[in-house]
Amino acid sequence: MPGFHDPMTRIAATLLLAACAFAAAPALGQSLKPAATVAGSVVRLGDVFADAGNHAGDAIAPAPPPGMRITYGADWLQSVAREHRLAWTPRSAYDQVTIERASRDIDSDAIQRQMMSEIAARQPVADAQLELDNPALHLVVAAEAPETIAVDGLTIDQRNGRVAASVSAPAGDPAAERRRVTGQLVYRVDVPALNRALAPGATIAAGDLDLIKARRDRVATDIATDAQQLIGKTPRRTLQPGVPLRLGDVE
């Protein structure tokens, strides 16, 4: 009977070891994705493992909130691979996958327009503009979410025009991000202003004047509100364009 040192025995042993190693090795293509951006509320097997086969669409975890990310470590990944019969094992304890939720911003202009729409449903807003206290305000929503904004708890102080409300997006989503918004209703009026600089000695003509919008609460009693108050007069000093004029600026 041939011994272990017999050439045929050695060949058979080598083949057997190779077969065992092949069986234990991860299947080709079932590699880890170091990072992924997902759309939707769940993370799927195919977001984490490349070529996950027929189970790539299986949901394995909730997705992070829009604009946020979450990192899964080696132990969790190995548990998922085992549960879904993937031939994958971590190379080290530092193997990980970072998942980010696809998102987009709804800016302050959109928030301001929606709040003005709600205000207009309560009172006239002709010549009014809403100035937000935080012009950098924005809401983060999922990339696939509609750009709808809910305005709740709207209050308007009629004495000073102060406005406050709670806004969220998308509208009707109980899990939507909710932000407190404050601002002021500003009413504007048309006042005449020069469209070019004029020095003393020049005569102001109708063609030298344009109408500009000015905050009503900042129009002093000595500000010219009609072009006829300026036409035919001359500046007392050099006057700059685009600025409301005081009656005392001309003679």
Side-chain angles (χ1 to χ4, degrees), residues 59-117:
I60 57 174
M68 304 296 287
R69 61 184 61 184
I70 188 170
T71 298
Y72 298 109
D75 289 343
W76 185 87
L77 293 168
Q78 186 174 20
S79 173
V80 169
R82 187 181 299 116
E83 179 182 353
H84 293 269
R85 301 180 181 275
L86 295 185
W88 178 89
T89 56
R91 295 180 179 180
S92 75
Y94 300 102
D95 278 1
Q96 63 182 29
V97 172
T98 299
I99 300 293
E100 183 175 3
R101 178 77 175 273
S103 63
R104 57 188 175 85
D105 286 351
I106 296 178
D107 62 19
S108 59
D109 288 342
I111 295 171
Q112 183 265 349
R113 287 193 298 270
Q114 186 61 37
M115 289 188 64
M116 279 299 292
S117 176

Side-chain angles (χ1 to χ4, degrees), residues 19-229:
C20 292
F22 179 79
L28 291 177
Q30 289 180 348
S31 57
L32 197 63
K33 295 181 179 180
T37 300
V38 302
S41 59
V42 297
V43 179
R44 303 186 184 279
L45 194 65
D47 297 325
V48 174
F49 295 98
D51 298 330
N54 295 333
H55 295 284
D58 290 358
I60 57 174
M68 304 296 287
R69 61 184 61 184
I70 188 170
T71 298
Y72 298 109
D75 289 343
W76 185 87
L77 293 168
Q78 186 174 20
S79 173
V80 169
R82 187 181 299 116
E83 179 182 353
H84 293 269
R85 301 180 181 275
L86 295 185
W88 178 89
T89 56
R91 295 180 179 180
S92 75
Y94 300 102
D95 278 1
Q96 63 182 29
V97 172
T98 299
I99 300 293
E100 183 175 3
R101 178 77 175 273
S103 63
R104 57 188 175 85
D105 286 351
I106 296 178
D107 62 19
S108 59
D109 288 342
I111 295 171
Q112 183 265 349
R113 287 193 298 270
Q114 186 61 37
M115 289 188 64
M116 279 299 292
S117 176
E118 297 290 333
I119 294 169
R122 297 189 180 190
Q123 65 183 50
V125 291
D127 299 321
Q129 180 179 351
L130 176 62
E131 293 186 356
L132 300 182
D133 293 336
N134 180 9
L137 178 72
H138 66 279
L139 297 170
V140 181
V141 299
E144 71 279 6
E147 190 169 324
T148 55
I149 305 170
V151 178
D152 299 306
L154 175 65
T155 60
I156 307 168
D157 190 327
Q158 299 297 337
R159 295 169 300 173
N160 55 23
R162 294 295 299 170
V163 175
S166 176
V167 297
S168 59
D173 183 352
E177 179 184 17
R178 191 175 298 274
R179 299 288 297 274
R180 182 71 172 170
V181 182
T182 57
Q184 184 169 11
L185 276 176
V186 175
Y187 291 85
R188 298 186 182 274
V189 294
D190 289 329
V191 296
L194 293 172
N195 52 35
R196 63 189 181 97
L198 287 182
T203 300
I204 300 175
D208 296 323
L209 299 169
D210 289 332
L211 290 177
I212 64 171
K213 292 287 186 182
R215 285 184 54 157
R216 188 173 68 185
D217 59 340
R218 294 180 182 174
V219 176
T221 56
D222 63 343
I223 292 291
T225 57
D226 190 315
Q228 296 302 319
Q229 296 173 294

